Amino acid sequence: MTRIGLSIASHSGLPPERIAAVAADAERAGFGGVFIAEGHGDALGLCHPVVAATSRAGVGTAITNAALRPPVLTAKTAVDLDEASGGRFRLGLGTANAVMNGRAGLPPHPPLTMIEEYVSVVRAVLAGDPAGFTGTIFQVGQVPLDRPPLRPDLPVHLGALGPRMQALAGRIADGVILNLMSPGQAAEAVTTVRAAARDAGRDPAAIEITCVVHYCPSDDPGTGAEAARQVVPRYVLHPAVGRLFGAEHEEGLAAARERAMTGDRAGAAAHVPQPVADAFVAHGTAADCAARVQEYRDAGVDLPVVFPMPVQGRWDYDTVIRTLGPAASGRASA
């Protein structure tokens, strides 16, 4: 069966009740999962209205910045969300980047060590491990919960841009969430994740591979292409920008990064090379997006998650749900 998810951005500015309504519409249209992408809001907090508004679709974060919350608190929140959803919740964790975390006043930590220990703490809390966890960054004792978790093995997925984080996800996580990559890059990531799982003695096929597919819906090619360029400045502050988007575009991306650092996203978008935007942002008609989603499936992605982006300032979730929802188009969904 064909599976597809929908991501709702916290930075869309939608109030919780509207996010809940979008989630309910997505479930009715046949989307198998609804995820919250954390911008400047609280993705875990916004999962509560999504859980309440749905009854079948999976619900999760794709992703939430682990550095913002102590792992014990994250585990407790995940337990509540999983119970409220009847076992439909998955926890998607990431490390954001040093620039964003520095602005939030967070201390720097080696991202691989931090997220590996973070996952260990979450799992120790879920399991009620009397030994707790002792690492180089986190040290916790046994953490009691008010009620036993509905699923002590609640799935934990890791957001992974680079090969080292992808390999870590293959070794320790229940799934990986890919982002900011072309279908070709996604295929390489799938190989990395599966190989790491195999080397760790795990079943490679048991690691669910999700990929976020940014999409700017528009029937006008020029409008869609321009909107796609405007997506890139949200990500040019990442330290691995050259590797993510291609060293051949370094000059344009450096100019975009400089503008983005000052808060001038419109100016930054003007410097984004169109091939960069085209590589990881689908744009155009629903058929164009469906074709791009199929490219990710062909690359080995288990669950493509469509992430609608604003076009001319408008977040058009209704159109995306109506035109891409499996129920509306006659496709089956899991």
Side-chain angles (χ1 to χ4, degrees), residues 200-224:
R202 309 178 71 197
D203 177 5
I207 314 303
E208 183 172 54
I209 297 182
T210 298
C211 187
V212 174
V213 183
H214 294 71
Y215 173 42
C216 295
S218 177
D219 290 332
D220 178 71
T223 300

Side-chain angles (χ1 to χ4, degrees), residues 39-311:
H40 304 299
D42 180 353
L44 283 167
L46 290 172
C47 282
H48 288 282
V50 172
V51 164
T54 57
S55 60
R56 300 181 308 278
V59 178
T61 52
I63 57 176
T64 188
N65 181 4
L68 289 171
R69 303 169 185 84
V72 170
L73 176 59
T74 295
K76 289 184 174 186
T77 304
V79 165
D80 288 343
L81 285 165
D82 200 46
E83 181 175 0
S85 66
R88 292 183 289 124
F89 183 71
R90 73 179 71 175
L91 177 62
L93 298 170
T95 59
N97 62 68
V99 173
M100 290 179 62
N101 288 342
R103 288 176 175 174
L106 300 171
H109 291 301
L112 290 168
T113 302
M114 189 279 280
I115 202 69
E116 183 170 8
E117 291 191 6
Y118 197 102
V119 171
S120 295
V121 174
V122 169
R123 286 182 169 155
V125 173
L126 292 172
D129 190 339
F133 175 79
T134 300
T136 59
I137 298 173
F138 301 109
Q139 300 87 36
V140 302
Q142 183 177 16
V143 177
L145 298 171
D146 293 328
R147 295 175 306 282
L150 181 66
R151 291 187 296 169
D153 59 348
L154 181 156
V156 179
H157 293 207
L158 293 185
L161 298 182
R164 291 192 301 163
M165 190 67 79
Q166 292 159 11
L168 178 64
R171 291 194 300 272
I172 72 166
D174 300 292
V176 64
I177 301 170
L178 307 177
N179 192 9
L180 305 181
M181 56 184 62
S182 67
Q185 290 171 315
E188 294 175 3
V190 169
T191 299
T192 299
V193 172
R194 303 275 190 226
R198 187 179 301 108
D199 291 345
R202 309 178 71 197
D203 177 5
I207 314 303
E208 183 172 54
I209 297 182
T210 298
C211 187
V212 174
V213 183
H214 294 71
Y215 173 42
C216 295
S218 177
D219 290 332
D220 178 71
T223 300
E226 180 183 3
R229 291 195 302 274
Q230 293 172 355
V231 173
V232 178
R234 295 195 61 86
Y235 303 103
V236 294
L237 298 184
H238 195 282
V241 65
R243 173 175 51 77
L244 292 172
F245 301 130
E248 67 272 24
H249 303 297
E250 185 174 350
E251 184 175 343
L253 290 170
R257 180 183 176 90
E258 184 178 340
R259 293 295 185 93
M261 287 288 287
T262 68
D264 180 12
R265 284 193 176 168
H271 290 280
V272 172
Q274 190 63 49
V276 170
D278 293 342
F280 81 95
V281 183
H283 55 86
T285 65
D288 294 327
C289 184
R292 174 61 70 88
V293 164
Q294 186 58 48
E295 290 182 36
Y296 286 99
R297 289 197 180 101
D298 293 342
V301 169
D302 298 314
L303 178 62
V305 174
V306 177
F307 189 15
M309 291 283 101
V311 177

Side-chain angles (χ1 to χ4, degrees), residues 4-16:
I4 190 169
L6 180 77
S7 178
I8 305 173
S10 77
H11 50 281
S12 64
L14 296 179

